[in-house]
Amino acid sequence: MQAAKLRRYLRDVVLPYSPQYREMFRSHGLTADDFSSIDDLRKLPFTSKSDLLPTTEKPARFKDFIIAPEPSELARRPGTICRALLHGRAQVQKELGDEFRPRLILFTTGRAAEPLAFCLTQHDINNLAEAGRRVMDVCGARPEFRMINAFPFAPHLAFWLTHYAGTEFGVLVTSTGGGKVMGTEGNLRLVRKLIPDVIIGVPTFVYHLLHQAADEGLRCENLKKIVLGGEKVSDGLRHKLRDLAREVGASDVDVLSTYGFTEAKMAFAECPYPHDQSPSGYHLYPDMAIVEIVDPKSGEPLPSGSPGEIVFTPLDARGSAVLRYRTGDCTDGGLTYKPCPHCGRSVPRITGKISRVSEIREMNLDKLKGTLVDFNQLEHILDDAPHVGAWQLELRKLNNDPHEVDEIILHVQKSDGTDDDELSHGLRDRMFNHTEIHPNRVEFHNIEEMRRLQGVGVVMKEQKVVDHRPKNGEASGASPAKSNSSANGSNGQHKFVTSA
């Protein structure tokens, strides 16, 4: 089914109307008929984010990836002529406009690269709504549910997919814009009024929202689902969110993660699962897209169950479309085609933890050589740590000298009254046992200071890892004695423990 749909998509949509792929297929001597099976996808070169980034010669390079037929081309198609005879010219013009004319522009949200524009036609918006409906269905929503969309108001996938998911599935949905528009108190007022069954948003903001709700004694007994997107979700964070949900009166809450990216124009969800077991992975839509797992170094496709990089190919996209798109996301569980052990669905699933290749950075932790530090792993280690509510890793240079060694400062907001010294030593040991590195010091903050550090309600994605290292030849704007919290507006009333 997928191979036949891929051939039709290539033959009828991509090759006639995509400048980028028409030239790629020509230069590699390929046609749509060369793809008789999914294995034939390996014949097609990958597309990556660097292929879409502007250059001096092509500042609007992303436009090459837009499927943009000339009206005269569409008018000459036999199918267009037949439909015009049957339904009238005006109706066919409207249908072609819905299929091919951009109606919405979304932007990528990655921290490491310039945001890229992705165009959606009405055809894409319909697919976006259907993908959103499937997210709701997989998560176990019911039409009578009330849902708060706490993603920031922005031209980004998470907000718009959630909006259309709610309207397409049929729940009552309202959007708060996260903390940036209404603030935490505004969100809590809406929680009190709506009494939602579902809260969906960025994990860090949802954590702070529920923490504040618990501190204020707010009751939300109706809450049944916490759905998260935009950041990794560790087991430790799930436990903390369930604990906070219990504090506001919700005793049996599913904490579910979604995985999506702008280039796909869709997202995938976990299904509910027993809390003493592990999630079964992200349920895919084989009629809408092909997902491959490839070796991150060689690019070779890998068999079911193998860890590797996620590669995405749409089967029905219009507007901006990318084929064999290397996401830069790696899963340690690979793909599985077995029925889901929790919901019984037979669609493919991405299993295991997903991490970003770009979050493996070189750190000069001593005078001799660089050390590769996997911040994906550090995030899980810290999210799972007991007694830690929220945290941030700050990277600095010793004395703010670009030529000096790197320092790692761990900022922590405690979830309970654990002794500072005891927790500091425990966190240093935990990091060293898993990664063989430890922070140069641990600084403790109250929840308001941590919100300022992470940019909760201010930035698009809350900052859990910040890099304040000056570059060579670049003067640092911060005094060596100043902490990260001072630079972010903290009142300085925090404690810190320096590493031994």
Side-chain angles (χ1 to χ4, degrees):
M1 179 190 78
Q2 282 188 310
K5 194 161 188 176
L6 175 65
R7 278 196 308 278
R8 285 197 302 271
Y9 179 55
L10 294 174
R11 183 186 65 235
D12 299 341
V13 178
V14 176
L15 297 183
Y17 308 131
S18 169
Q20 171 70 20
Y21 291 109
R22 185 168 54 237
E23 174 57 27
M24 179 185 286
F25 272 64
R26 186 200 63 77
S27 64
H28 286 81
L30 295 171
T31 69
D33 291 332
D34 290 316
F35 296 85
S36 58
S37 70
I38 299 305
D39 288 341
D40 288 330
L41 269 175
R42 67 175 69 220
K43 299 175 182 177
L44 186 64
F46 293 112
T47 300
S48 63
K49 181 162 286 189
S50 60
D51 295 315
L52 291 94
L53 292 173
T55 63
T56 305
E57 297 76 21
K58 299 190 76 172
R61 203 173 174 194
F62 72 94
K63 291 183 179 179
D64 289 343
F65 292 85
I66 298 175
I67 293 171
E70 291 292 332
S72 58
E73 290 181 272
L74 295 174
R76 290 195 296 268
R77 292 195 311 187
T80 303
I81 296 169
C82 290
R83 281 158 47 209
L85 291 172
L86 289 171
H87 305 291
R89 185 176 177 182
Q91 176 63 26
V92 172
Q93 284 181 329
K94 179 186 182 303
E95 291 173 358
L96 292 174
D98 287 347
E99 183 174 2
F100 291 108
R101 186 177 299 121
R103 301 278 175 85
L104 176 66
I105 296 179
L106 301 180
F107 288 85
T108 57
T109 60
R111 299 182 180 102
E114 178 179 340
L116 294 171
F118 260 68
C119 298
L120 285 76
T121 69
Q122 185 59 50
H123 182 93
D124 291 313
I125 294 171
N126 294 342
N127 283 343
L128 180 72
E130 171 59 18
R133 185 198 67 78
R134 294 183 188 188
V135 166
M136 300 289 286
D137 186 53
V138 169
C139 288
R142 296 198 296 270
E144 64 269 23
F145 277 5
R146 290 168 286 188
M147 180 172 77
I148 287 181
N149 175 6
F151 283 115
F153 287 127
H156 297 148
L157 177 70
F159 173 82
W160 287 102
L161 183 136
T162 303
H163 167 77
Y164 284 113
T167 57
E168 186 73 8
F169 189 82
V171 300
L172 174 63
V173 59
T174 188
S175 301
T176 69
K180 210 168 184 179
V181 177
M182 300 175 65
T184 304
E185 282 302 326
N187 277 262
L188 291 179
R189 283 196 298 273
L190 193 55
V191 169
R192 289 188 183 95
K193 290 179 181 178
L194 191 67
I195 316 174
D197 300 274
V198 182
I199 296 176
I200 180 168
V202 178
T204 313
F205 179 71
V206 174
Y207 169 81
H208 284 292
L209 182 67
L210 288 178
H211 193 286
Q212 186 70 24
D215 282 351
E216 294 185 11
L218 184 148
R219 305 298 292 172
C220 191
E221 291 94 343
N222 256 28
L223 188 62
K224 300 174 183 68
K225 313 278 182 185
I226 297 171
V227 183
L228 307 170
E231 292 176 2
K232 292 184 284 293
V233 181
S234 70
D235 293 338
L237 180 59
R238 294 178 201 262
H239 291 312
K240 291 169 188 175
L241 289 171
R242 287 192 200 105
D243 288 343
L244 287 171
R246 277 190 286 270
E247 289 189 47
V248 297
S251 59
D252 188 25
V253 173
D254 293 317
V255 180
L256 304 171
S257 178
T258 61
Y259 171 65
F261 44 98
T262 308
E263 295 86 350
K265 295 186 272 192
M266 64 182 72
F268 316 103
E270 299 171 338
C271 66
Y273 60 94
H275 299 169
D276 60 348
Q277 298 181 30
S278 297
S280 61
Y282 301 99
H283 295 58
L284 304 179
Y285 319 134
D287 58 327
M288 300 178 78
I290 298 169
V291 172
E292 303 171 82
I293 304 296
V294 304
D295 185 298
K297 294 181 179 178
S298 70
E300 281 297 305
L302 296 169
S304 173
S306 301
E309 183 178 356
I310 299 167
V311 175
F312 179 88
T313 298
L315 291 173
D316 195 34
R318 302 299 189 270
S320 302
V322 287
L323 306 181
R324 291 205 88 198
Y325 182 74
R326 296 190 70 154
T327 61
D329 296 333
C330 289
T331 173
D332 63 9
L335 275 179
T336 181
Y337 297 89
K338 298 176 181 177
C340 176
H342 302 314
C343 69
R345 290 179 176 86
S346 58
V347 297
R349 286 171 287 119
I350 299 173
T351 63
K353 295 176 181 176
I354 295 176
S355 58
R356 292 288 300 170
V357 174
S358 61
E359 288 302 310
I360 299 176
R361 312 185 193 187
E362 184 171 77
M363 300 284 292
N364 295 310
L365 298 174
D366 55 50
K367 292 284 189 179
L368 300 177
K369 61 179 180 179
T371 301
L372 288 178
V373 179
D374 188 346
F375 283 89
N376 299 292
Q377 185 183 15
L378 277 176
E379 284 198 36
H380 285 292
I381 290 166
L382 293 170
D383 276 340
D384 291 346
H387 315 298
V388 173
W391 58 269
Q392 183 187 75
L393 281 172
E394 179 190 8
L395 314 183
R396 301 186 72 88
K397 284 286 187 180
L398 180 64
N399 300 324
N400 285 330
D401 183 342
H403 304 288
E404 267 289 1
V405 296
D406 293 328
E407 291 186 314
I408 299 178
I409 302 167
L410 174 58
H411 300 273
V412 174
Q413 172 250 320
K414 297 187 296 183
S415 60
D416 54 34
T418 303
D419 178 74
D420 290 355
D421 289 331
E422 180 183 337
L423 181 54
S424 175
H425 287 297
L427 289 170
R428 293 182 64 249
D429 290 344
R430 185 182 183 88
M431 287 177 63
F432 186 80
N433 291 338
H434 286 85
T435 66
E436 296 188 353
I437 66 168
H438 55 72
N440 296 79
R441 65 180 183 270
V442 178
E443 300 191 7
F444 291 96
H445 306 264
N446 62 37
I447 192 164
E448 286 301 324
E449 291 167 344
M450 185 55 68
R451 284 173 180 160
R452 283 194 291 270
L453 288 178
Q454 291 185 328
V456 174
V458 177
V459 296
M460 197 66 214
K461 287 188 177 182
E462 284 74 18
Q463 298 172 313
K464 298 179 86 171
V465 179
V466 293
D467 195 340
H468 291 151
R469 295 175 293 178
K471 307 297 186 291
N472 285 325
E474 177 184 304
S476 171
S479 161
K482 288 184 180 178
S483 72
N484 180 44
S485 52
S486 300
N488 282 274
S490 168
N491 61 17
Q493 299 301 311
H494 62 269
K495 303 175 184 177
F496 67 88
V497 180
T498 305
S499 62

